Structure formats: C-alpha cells, structure tokens
Amino acid sequence: MRKTVLVVEDEFLIAIDLKLLLESRGWEVLGPAATVSDALLLLGDELPEVAILDVSLKDGVVTLVAEELRARNVPFVVASAYSSPELIGGDVLTGAPNVGEPTEERRLLAALERLVGSA
C-alpha cells in the first residue's frame, strides 16, 4: 500500500531531514513545501493521506493549508515548538497532534500511523 504525506516546512534542513526519514520508512513524500502557496499548489496536484505542518512559514501562517486539508478530510499533525499552535495558526489547528519541533522520530511516525489508521 502506498502511503503519501505532504510535508509543509520552511526550514530547509528540517524539511530535508523529514523527507529522508519518511522515505526511509516507506512513505512517499509530497514536497516539502516551504510556503502556503507551494503547499496549496501541491494539494491541487495530489491528495495525500496525511500531512505534517509547520505553523509559521515564509509567506505566513499555515492556516489556509490546514483549512484546505480539513475540507478534503486529510488528517494532519503539527510540527511546532509552540505549546498551543492554535494561538498562532487559528482554531483549525485545535486538536491536531503536535509532534514538536524538533520532532522525535518515533513520536512522529506513531502519530502519522495513527492518523492513517483512523482515516
């Protein structure tokens, strides 16, 4: 079974680390997207099973991407150092698992598998 994940992260090294980690664990990675506009373009091309969202991006907060994912019933995790990312990115982030930043590998993979299993 093909597992796809959209990575939305504007810090280059973090984004590449996530991509390499996920690919080594059998995920097909869409992106990484460093901006809201890039992420929305990727969503126009292909719908992932799950997404990883950084809250603050080069062109603003991730709110529009999260809203689009919710509208399309795509679950997501937030990778943020903020303890309450919804205070920055809006109510659409409320309840999304926050795997932290930097993200611990096992925590991230477990969260993604839970979301894919519940979708």
Side-chain angles (χ1 to χ4, degrees), residues 28-56:
E28 182 177 326
V29 176
L30 306 178
T35 64
V36 170
S37 56
D38 286 347
L40 293 173
L41 283 173
L42 286 172
L43 286 174
D45 291 338
E46 184 173 354
L47 200 60
E49 289 181 84
V50 68
I52 303 168
L53 306 179
D54 185 11
V55 176
S56 298

Side-chain angles (χ1 to χ4, degrees), residues 25-88:
R25 299 303 177 108
W27 289 86
E28 182 177 326
V29 176
L30 306 178
T35 64
V36 170
S37 56
D38 286 347
L40 293 173
L41 283 173
L42 286 172
L43 286 174
D45 291 338
E46 184 173 354
L47 200 60
E49 289 181 84
V50 68
I52 303 168
L53 306 179
D54 185 11
V55 176
S56 298
L57 302 172
K58 292 183 185 297
D59 62 347
V61 293
V62 76
T63 307
L64 290 175
V65 178
E67 289 172 346
E68 186 66 22
L69 291 167
R70 287 255 193 250
R72 294 175 175 218
N73 296 315
V74 175
F76 57 85
V77 300
V78 176
S80 175
Y82 298 116
S83 60
S84 299
E86 64 276 5
L87 296 177
I88 307 297

